[in-house]
PDB file of all heavy atoms in Angstrom:
ATOM      1  N   LEU A 103      -2.792 -14.299   1.170  1.00 97.00           N
ATOM      2  CA  LEU A 103      -2.349 -13.220   2.038  1.00 97.00           C
ATOM      3  C   LEU A 103      -2.292 -13.634   3.489  1.00 97.00           C
ATOM      4  O   LEU A 103      -1.373 -13.190   4.193  1.00 97.00           O
ATOM      5  CB  LEU A 103      -3.343 -12.051   1.883  1.00 97.00           C
ATOM      6  CG  LEU A 103      -3.063 -10.769   2.707  1.00 97.00           C
ATOM      7  CD1 LEU A 103      -1.711 -10.181   2.529  1.00 97.00           C
ATOM      8  CD2 LEU A 103      -4.174  -9.743   2.511  1.00 97.00           C
ATOM      9  N   LEU A 104      -3.211 -14.424   3.906  1.00 97.00           N
ATOM     10  CA  LEU A 104      -3.170 -14.957   5.296  1.00 97.00           C
ATOM     11  C   LEU A 104      -1.904 -15.765   5.587  1.00 97.00           C
ATOM     12  O   LEU A 104      -1.304 -15.667   6.685  1.00 97.00           O
ATOM     13  CB  LEU A 104      -4.383 -15.848   5.610  1.00 97.00           C
ATOM     14  CG  LEU A 104      -5.725 -15.120   5.679  1.00 97.00           C
ATOM     15  CD1 LEU A 104      -6.888 -16.106   5.715  1.00 97.00           C
ATOM     16  CD2 LEU A 104      -5.793 -14.155   6.865  1.00 97.00           C
ATOM     17  N   GLY A 105      -1.401 -16.416   4.570  1.00 95.00           N
ATOM     18  CA  GLY A 105      -0.125 -17.138   4.732  1.00 95.00           C
ATOM     19  C   GLY A 105       1.049 -16.221   4.884  1.00 95.00           C
ATOM     20  O   GLY A 105       1.931 -16.438   5.690  1.00 95.00           O
ATOM     21  N   VAL A 106       0.990 -15.113   4.169  1.00 96.00           N
ATOM     22  CA  VAL A 106       2.108 -14.093   4.300  1.00 96.00           C
ATOM     23  C   VAL A 106       2.035 -13.489   5.643  1.00 96.00           C
ATOM     24  O   VAL A 106       3.056 -13.235   6.282  1.00 96.00           O
ATOM     25  CB  VAL A 106       1.977 -13.019   3.158  1.00 96.00           C
ATOM     26  CG1 VAL A 106       2.961 -11.876   3.367  1.00 96.00           C
ATOM     27  CG2 VAL A 106       2.068 -13.637   1.801  1.00 96.00           C
ATOM     28  N   ALA A 107       0.837 -13.226   6.136  1.00 96.00           N
ATOM     29  CA  ALA A 107       0.678 -12.574   7.463  1.00 96.00           C
ATOM     30  C   ALA A 107       1.067 -13.511   8.580  1.00 96.00           C
ATOM     31  O   ALA A 107       1.378 -12.985   9.724  1.00 96.00           O
ATOM     32  CB  ALA A 107      -0.780 -12.084   7.651  1.00 96.00           C
ATOM     33  N   ALA A 108       1.060 -14.800   8.361  1.00 95.00           N
ATOM     34  CA  ALA A 108       1.358 -15.747   9.454  1.00 95.00           C
ATOM     35  C   ALA A 108       2.787 -15.525   9.993  1.00 95.00           C
ATOM     36  O   ALA A 108       3.074 -15.780  11.177  1.00 95.00           O
ATOM     37  CB  ALA A 108       1.253 -17.162   8.943  1.00 95.00           C
ATOM     38  N   ASP A 109       3.680 -14.990   9.186  1.00 92.00           N
ATOM     39  CA  ASP A 109       5.045 -14.792   9.571  1.00 92.00           C
ATOM     40  C   ASP A 109       5.319 -13.320   9.925  1.00 92.00           C
ATOM     41  O   ASP A 109       6.491 -12.910  10.113  1.00 92.00           O
ATOM     42  CB  ASP A 109       6.076 -15.209   8.507  1.00 92.00           C
ATOM     43  CG  ASP A 109       6.087 -16.760   8.243  1.00 92.00           C
ATOM     44  OD1 ASP A 109       6.037 -17.452   9.264  1.00 92.00           O
ATOM     45  OD2 ASP A 109       6.054 -17.123   7.046  1.00 92.00           O
ATOM     46  N   ARG A 110       4.295 -12.512   9.933  1.00 96.00           N
ATOM     47  CA  ARG A 110       4.437 -11.034  10.173  1.00 96.00           C
ATOM     48  C   ARG A 110       3.410 -10.576  11.124  1.00 96.00           C
ATOM     49  O   ARG A 110       2.226 -10.388  10.820  1.00 96.00           O
ATOM     50  CB  ARG A 110       4.369 -10.311   8.840  1.00 96.00           C
ATOM     51  CG  ARG A 110       5.464 -10.636   7.899  1.00 96.00           C
ATOM     52  CD  ARG A 110       5.248 -10.068   6.493  1.00 96.00           C
ATOM     53  NE  ARG A 110       6.431 -10.301   5.725  1.00 96.00           N
ATOM     54  CZ  ARG A 110       6.840 -11.444   5.153  1.00 96.00           C
ATOM     55  NH1 ARG A 110       5.998 -12.503   5.261  1.00 96.00           N
ATOM     56  NH2 ARG A 110       7.981 -11.536   4.467  1.00 96.00           N
ATOM     57  N   ASP A 111       3.819 -10.338  12.395  1.00 95.00           N
ATOM     58  CA  ASP A 111       2.840 -10.027  13.432  1.00 95.00           C
ATOM     59  C   ASP A 111       2.298  -8.628  13.326  1.00 95.00           C
ATOM     60  O   ASP A 111       1.443  -8.193  14.036  1.00 95.00           O
ATOM     61  CB  ASP A 111       3.432 -10.269  14.833  1.00 95.00           C
ATOM     62  CG  ASP A 111       4.706  -9.536  15.158  1.00 95.00           C
ATOM     63  OD1 ASP A 111       5.116  -8.656  14.269  1.00 95.00           O
ATOM     64  OD2 ASP A 111       5.344  -9.854  16.130  1.00 95.00           O
ATOM     65  N   LEU A 113       1.185  -7.468  10.372  1.00 98.00           N
ATOM     66  CA  LEU A 113       0.341  -7.411   9.171  1.00 98.00           C
ATOM     67  C   LEU A 113      -1.066  -7.967   9.514  1.00 98.00           C
ATOM     68  O   LEU A 113      -1.193  -9.094   9.959  1.00 98.00           O
ATOM     69  CB  LEU A 113       0.968  -8.223   8.058  1.00 98.00           C
ATOM     70  CG  LEU A 113       0.283  -8.355   6.762  1.00 98.00           C
ATOM     71  CD1 LEU A 113      -0.056  -6.924   6.198  1.00 98.00           C
ATOM     72  CD2 LEU A 113       1.093  -9.198   5.721  1.00 98.00           C
ATOM     73  N   PRO A 115      -4.608  -8.726   7.782  1.00 98.00           N
ATOM     74  CA  PRO A 115      -5.439  -8.854   6.594  1.00 98.00           C
ATOM     75  C   PRO A 115      -6.929  -8.532   6.885  1.00 98.00           C
ATOM     76  O   PRO A 115      -7.450  -8.962   7.872  1.00 98.00           O
ATOM     77  CB  PRO A 115      -5.207 -10.244   6.088  1.00 98.00           C
ATOM     78  CG  PRO A 115      -4.011 -10.776   6.790  1.00 98.00           C
ATOM     79  CD  PRO A 115      -3.999  -9.978   8.103  1.00 98.00           C
TER      80      PRO A 115
END
Side-chain angles (χ1 to χ4, degrees):
L103 176 59
L104 289 171
V106 176
D109 295 317
R110 292 170 173 81
D111 58 9
L113 180 55

